[in-house]
Amino acid sequence: MRKRDTDKEDLVKQTAIKLIVKNGLEGFSMNKLAKACNISVATLYIYYKDRDDLILNIAMESGKLMSDTIIKDFDPELSLEEGLRQQWKNRYKFMTDHPGLNLFFDQLRSSSYQEEFLSGFLKEFKLVMGKFMQNVMERGEIEEMTFETYWAIAFAPLYALARFDNEGKSLSGKPYQMTDKVLWKTFNLVIKALKK
Amino acid sequence: MRKRDTDKEDLVKQTAIKLIVKNGLEGFSMNKLAKACNISVATLYIYYKDRDDLILNIAMESGKLMSDTIIKDFDPELSLEEGLRQQWKNRYKFMTDHPGLNLFFDQLRSSSYQEEFLSGFLKEFKLVMGKFMQNVMERGEIEEMTFETYWAIAFAPLYALARFDNEGKSLSGKPYQMTDKVLWKTFNLVIKALKK
DNA sequence: CATATAAGTGAATGAATATTCACTTATATT
DNA sequence: AATATAAGTGAATATTCATTCACTTATATG
């Protein structure tokens, strides 16, 4: 038997993400991917059943990575401020450690892969996050609110900052780069909104 | 001369948006669009120069509609709470009056059309919104903060709610539909975060 | 009514797409 | 060293794509 070249396999994954981020799913093709990796198209069909299988597999693997990063050192029994701070830390770390991966996820979110992508790695994740909110609410640290309201206040601002950062320029026209200072300033406002 | 059938022209626009929202830009083609409209592909090339021209024109027209809706009855001299409330009202109205159009914009945002799309209708818009924030800050109604932080707190939660609404189900698995109550509850938290 | 003119068409073109196939190559095991 | 087996290939296939073209149809205007 011959062993599969795991370097090549990894190259395929990285290149696929890079191409999709750059040109969108719309501008992505198997032939282009093969060419960019300097391998034969047919090789892609050894690794993956078809185009959908390729995209979904890479998506789910990346999703798992995100999920693992976000859950790290997080305990749903933490206080509102401690717990949320850890969440912001983890999510921020993921963004900076894997620049572009958020853009990759944006592509998936606005595609037909969305549902399968989310369902893949979000199960455990949902449970832990839901538990945390419930604890905090039961302890009376925050008012009664729906999960949607909670999420919208607690995390949407963070992802908005990330998008500004990715686009590299603010609405005001000035170039923009996220800094720790801006991040934690925004975090403090979020805490102010949520705390009773 | 023969007059152009404006009903048909409008059908093309509506159908294009519907198809793109449903299948993504990836799954959208001129032939499919023509078939869905029961017209010849060649007719599309009477209305538009090419595929890009078609997408961009429809995008810009929709963008203009959004911009006009959002700017209505808004005065950058309003107080923080009054001004922001009007903004939320306008943006919410746009979402409910044109369901799906936000999803269409999401598609564009993660595509190569993004830049041209934004630059088309955002100019005036940026100015007014920037002016409002500046006024509010100068008056001391909110602390010093970057435009990005301001936007992330002031509007990102609204769009997060809209996305939950579009997806029709919450992270907690229960079906979800946005209500006025949830909307204004979230708005109040946003005001709490921003107000000094 | 006649006709100029733009609207609208169905079938074609060539390029790009996903996928397959007959084939060669490397290597783990015997 | 021999060989079985999976990795890897380049060229082909069939499909879908955007775009064009020679043509017909409707109608506003003279």
Side-chain angles (χ1 to χ4, degrees):
Chain A
M1 288 188 258
R2 184 174 168 185
K3 234 196 319 194
R4 187 177 291 185
D5 185 339
T6 53
D7 283 355
K8 199 167 283 182
E9 221 180 334
D10 208 62
L11 176 67
V12 167
K13 287 176 197 167
Q14 296 312 323
T15 308
I17 292 172
K18 208 182 302 174
L19 286 180
I20 290 173
V21 166
K22 197 175 170 197
N23 308 79
L25 282 166
E26 191 200 2
F28 173 81
S29 86
M30 300 295 271
N31 292 293
K32 280 183 193 166
L33 175 57
K35 194 157 289 174
C37 293
N38 272 315
I39 61 171
S40 163
V41 214
T43 305
L44 294 175
Y45 288 85
I46 297 172
Y47 297 161
Y48 304 99
K49 190 173 142 290
D50 53 27
R51 183 191 142 109
D52 281 359
D53 188 52
L54 180 147
I55 292 172
L56 258 171
N57 263 286
I58 296 176
M60 306 253 271
E61 189 172 330
S62 307
K64 181 73 167 60
L65 179 64
M66 179 175 81
S67 174
D68 289 349
T69 309
I70 288 184
I71 227 84
K72 183 143 186 291
D73 295 327
F74 179 75
D75 181 346
E77 305 300 325
L78 288 170
S79 75
L80 171 70
E81 188 160 349
E82 279 181 309
L84 213 52
R85 189 182 299 277
Q86 186 65 46
Q87 276 297 303
W88 276 55
K89 220 181 264 177
N90 288 352
R91 289 171 196 243
Y92 183 49
K93 179 174 166 46
F94 180 75
M95 291 168 199
T96 49
D97 284 0
H98 306 97
L101 225 39
N102 273 83
L103 287 174
F104 178 51
F105 293 152
D106 280 347
Q107 292 287 345
L108 296 171
R109 194 169 305 119
S110 57
S111 80
S112 50
Y113 301 105
Q114 176 194 35
E115 201 166 340
E116 221 169 332
F117 166 58
L118 289 179
S119 74
F121 71 96
L122 223 57
K123 298 254 161 83
E124 178 205 7
F125 196 59
K126 285 191 300 198
L127 281 175
V128 180
M129 291 300 140
K131 182 83 183 128
F132 175 66
M133 183 192 89
Q134 209 176 320
N135 286 339
V136 167
M137 209 149 75
E138 275 169 11
R139 247 185 273 121
E141 289 193 75
I142 63 175
E143 291 175 57
E144 283 280 334
M145 62 182 80
T146 65
F147 185 84
E148 288 75 26
T149 293
Y150 167 74
W151 197 97
I153 298 286
F155 295 117
L158 171 60
Y159 288 106
L161 289 183
R163 211 162 9 196
F164 280 129
D165 195 45
N166 280 326
E167 287 169 13
K169 54 181 92 109
S170 72
L171 285 178
S172 63
K174 281 168 273 169
Y176 170 73
Q177 215 209 329
M178 197 181 347
T179 59
D180 286 20
K181 197 181 156 205
V182 170
L183 182 83
W184 295 115
K185 165 86 185 171
T186 310
F187 175 76
N188 288 335
L189 293 176
V190 165
I191 288 291
K192 188 173 158 216
L194 288 174
K195 251 190 185 160
K196 246 184 187 166
Chain B
M1 289 187 254
R2 184 173 166 186
K3 234 195 320 193
R4 186 177 292 184
D5 186 339
T6 53
D7 284 355
K8 199 168 282 183
E9 221 181 333
D10 209 63
L11 175 68
V12 167
K13 287 176 196 166
Q14 296 310 112
T15 308
I17 292 172
K18 207 183 301 175
L19 286 180
I20 290 173
V21 166
K22 196 174 172 197
N23 308 82
L25 282 165
E26 187 202 5
F28 173 81
S29 87
M30 300 296 270
N31 292 293
K32 280 182 193 166
L33 174 57
K35 193 158 289 175
C37 293
N38 272 315
I39 61 171
S40 162
V41 213
T43 305
L44 294 175
Y45 287 85
I46 296 172
Y47 298 161
Y48 304 99
K49 191 174 141 289
D50 54 28
R51 182 192 142 108
D52 280 0
D53 187 51
L54 181 147
I55 292 172
L56 259 171
N57 263 286
I58 296 176
M60 305 253 271
E61 189 171 330
S62 306
K64 182 70 167 60
L65 179 65
M66 180 175 81
S67 174
D68 289 348
T69 308
I70 289 184
I71 228 86
K72 183 141 188 290
D73 295 328
F74 178 75
D75 181 345
E77 304 300 325
L78 288 170
S79 74
L80 170 70
E81 188 161 346
E82 279 181 309
L84 212 52
R85 188 181 300 277
Q86 186 65 46
Q87 276 295 303
W88 275 55
K89 221 181 263 178
N90 288 352
R91 289 171 196 243
Y92 182 50
K93 179 174 167 47
F94 180 76
M95 291 168 198
T96 49
D97 284 359
H98 307 96
L101 224 40
N102 273 82
L103 288 173
F104 177 52
F105 294 152
D106 280 348
Q107 293 286 347
L108 297 170
R109 195 168 305 119
S110 56
S111 79
S112 52
Y113 301 106
Q114 178 195 35
E115 202 165 341
E116 222 169 332
F117 166 59
L118 289 179
S119 74
F121 70 96
L122 222 57
K123 298 253 162 84
E124 178 204 8
F125 196 58
K126 286 190 300 198
L127 281 175
V128 179
M129 291 301 140
K131 182 81 182 131
F132 174 65
M133 183 193 88
Q134 210 177 319
N135 285 340
V136 167
M137 208 148 77
E138 275 170 10
R139 247 183 273 122
E141 291 192 73
I142 63 175
E143 291 175 57
E144 283 279 333
M145 61 183 80
T146 65
F147 185 84
E148 288 74 24
T149 293
Y150 167 73
W151 197 97
I153 298 286
F155 294 117
L158 172 59
Y159 288 105
L161 289 184
R163 212 162 10 205
F164 280 131
D165 195 44
N166 280 326
E167 286 168 13
K169 54 182 92 109
S170 72
L171 286 178
S172 63
K174 279 170 276 170
Y176 170 72
Q177 217 211 327
M178 197 182 344
T179 60
D180 285 20
K181 196 180 158 205
V182 170
L183 182 83
W184 295 115
K185 166 87 185 170
T186 310
F187 175 77
N188 288 335
L189 293 176
V190 165
I191 289 292
K192 188 173 159 213
L194 288 174
K195 253 190 183 158
K196 245 185 187 164

